């Protein structure tokens, strides 16, 4: 009996040892896992992000031991607040909101471009507008104050010697969400809009407006200005620089895929939009949006300075002009490394 008890004790010890080893490995695996929280906007101009998710470029780059959480925002201001307060790690946004947030918190880095341009100036067919100068006394809608289309509109008016005003002596600028802009144009509540695609094409297709200034004539730089960029928090870059670099690589892959396989990209972009908003988009509209922008991972400090100056002149940046220093905001070291490795 004693011998039998000894054998049982040995077996039990072995089972407990194997169980402990298994738990130890599982704990080690769990301890080594990472969650990357990606933010983006529910807009087709964020196509590189959509393709990176649909084609699993992020997951392939990060590895199977990394979990991805996606948060979709309605506007860039909410995105900028989220990344500054550590609610997300990296993601896609327009430069305007993060420029503003950077000046407040100094804890965000712009690490790559995604696309340039992508907005058009559409006028109501019966508004009697034949040129930009005809906008005097008219009401023009933009999606948000301080957003890239708003800044582009102000630069366009400035080029034509026009002023922004609250009365008919100048051009009145109002804010409308893109979907509301379509209705406002149809009901003659506004006379024009500088709006990102595909909303401009939708207005034209329904017959209520025409393009007055196409995307490749919109300032600054005739449409070659950053509309969507890839940013990361300082904390994420410090703790997971390797993963941030892989996000830059996934972004590059996505841009290349869209450029080389546009017909395959349209349904994928629509599928991601459907996941984010509950509604997809017709391929023709997605094509219109992508045809009216330049996909590129490249961006320069001059691009950022130009947009910041426009935002400052509009009164959106509450700092002194000599405080518009973005040398620490733009960090292209990861992008340059990715380019060298190709």
């Amino acid at each position: 009996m004693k011998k039998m008890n000894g054998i049982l004790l040995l077996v039990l010890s072995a089972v407990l040892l194997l169980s402990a080893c298994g738990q130890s490995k599982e704990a080690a695996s769990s301890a080594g896992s990472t969650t990357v929280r990606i933010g983006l906007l529910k807009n087709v101009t964020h196509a590189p992000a959509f393709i990176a998710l649909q084609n699993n470029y992020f997951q392939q780059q990060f590895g199977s031991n990394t979990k991805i959480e996606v948060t979709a925002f309605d506007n860039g201001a909410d995105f900028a607040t989220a990344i500054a307060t550590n609610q997300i790690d990296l993601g896609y946004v327009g430069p305007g909101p993060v420029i503003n947030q950077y000046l407040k918190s100094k804890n965000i880095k712009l690490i790559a471009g995604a696309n340039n341009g992508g907005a058009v100036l559409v006028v109501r067919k019966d508004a009697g507008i034949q040129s930009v100068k005809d906008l005097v006394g008219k009401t023009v809608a933009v999606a948000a104050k301080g957003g890239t289309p708003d800044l582009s509109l102000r630069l366009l008016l400035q080029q034509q010697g026009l002023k922004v005003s609250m009365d008919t002596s100048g051009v009145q600028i109002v804010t409308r969400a893109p979907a509301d802009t379509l209705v406002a144009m149809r009901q003659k509540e506004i006379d024009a809009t500088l709006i990102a695609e595909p909303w401009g094409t939708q207005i034209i297709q329904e017959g209520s407006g025409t393009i007055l200034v196409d995307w490749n004539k919109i300032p600054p730089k005739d449409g070659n200005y950053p509309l969507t960029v890839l940013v990361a928090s300082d904390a994420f870059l410090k703790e997971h620089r390797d993963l941030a670099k892989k996000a830059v690589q996934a972004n590059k892959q996505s841009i290349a895929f869209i450029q080389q396989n546009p017909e395959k990209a349209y349904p994928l972009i629509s599928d991601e939009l459907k996941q984010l908003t509950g509604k997809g988009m017709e391929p023709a509209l997605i094509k219109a949006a992508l045809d009216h922008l330049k996909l590129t991972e490249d961006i320069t400090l001059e691009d950022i300075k130009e947009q910041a100056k426009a935002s400052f002149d509009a009164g959106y940046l509450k700092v002194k002009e000599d405080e518009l220093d973005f040398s620490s905001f733009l960090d292209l070291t990861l992008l340059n490394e990715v380019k060298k490795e190709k």
Side-chain angles (χ1 to χ4, degrees), residues 95-104 145-146 151 304-321 323-326:
V98 283
I99 284 173
N100 198 1
Q101 183 61 55
Y102 170 77
L103 291 173
K104 297 175 185 175
K145 289 183 178 180
L151 300 179
I304 300 305
K305 287 180 177 179
E306 199 163 27
Q307 291 213 16
K309 181 63 165 59
S311 190
F312 176 83
D313 290 343
Y316 294 135
L317 300 182
K318 306 301 182 182
V319 296
K320 296 178 181 178
E321 189 168 3
E323 294 175 343
L324 298 176
D325 181 7
F326 297 96

Side-chain angles (χ1 to χ4, degrees), residues 44-45 182 196-206 266 269 273 279-293:
V44 72
T45 55
L182 268 69
E197 287 285 27
W199 300 101
T201 296
Q202 285 185 277
I203 293 172
I204 293 159
Q205 285 185 351
E206 71 171 28
Y266 304 149
I269 293 167
L273 273 173
K279 186 178 180 181
M281 184 176 289
E282 290 295 324
L285 285 175
I286 296 174
K287 182 180 187 302
L290 298 185
D291 284 348
H292 287 179
L293 55 79

Side-chain angles (χ1 to χ4, degrees), residues 153-280:
L153 175 59
R154 291 172 183 273
L155 288 173
L156 184 64
L157 298 177
Q158 187 181 66
Q159 288 176 0
Q160 297 293 321
L162 306 182
K163 67 176 183 177
V164 177
S165 70
M166 298 299 291
D167 55 38
T168 57
S169 66
V171 181
Q172 299 180 64
I173 298 178
V174 298
T175 57
R176 294 285 188 279
D180 295 335
T181 299
L182 268 69
V183 177
M185 184 76 81
R186 193 183 308 134
Q187 296 180 347
K188 301 183 180 182
E189 295 175 2
I190 59 173
D191 303 298
T193 177
L194 204 154
I195 194 166
E197 287 285 27
W199 300 101
T201 296
Q202 285 185 277
I203 293 172
I204 293 159
Q205 285 185 351
E206 71 171 28
S208 57
T210 60
I211 290 181
L212 182 68
V213 183
D214 212 342
W215 76 278
N216 56 358
K217 296 299 179 184
I218 297 291
K221 297 168 65 177
D222 290 334
N224 195 22
Y225 56 85
L227 184 73
T228 308
V229 295
L230 178 61
V231 299
S233 70
D234 283 358
F236 185 74
L237 286 168
K238 182 179 179 181
E239 296 170 15
H240 301 288
R241 187 180 186 279
D242 58 330
L243 293 178
K245 181 178 176 180
K246 289 173 180 178
V248 171
Q249 178 64 56
N251 178 60
K252 190 173 186 298
Q253 282 180 274
S254 297
I255 291 171
F257 179 86
I258 298 169
Q259 291 171 333
Q260 295 165 16
N261 309 277
E263 297 298 329
K264 293 180 180 179
Y266 304 149
L268 293 173
I269 293 167
S270 179
D271 288 346
E272 187 62 30
L273 273 173
K274 189 172 184 179
Q275 288 187 32
L276 298 174
T277 68
K279 186 178 180 181

Side-chain angles (χ1 to χ4, degrees), residues 4 37 298 317:
M4 181 63 71
R37 301 165 299 169
D298 293 323
L317 300 182

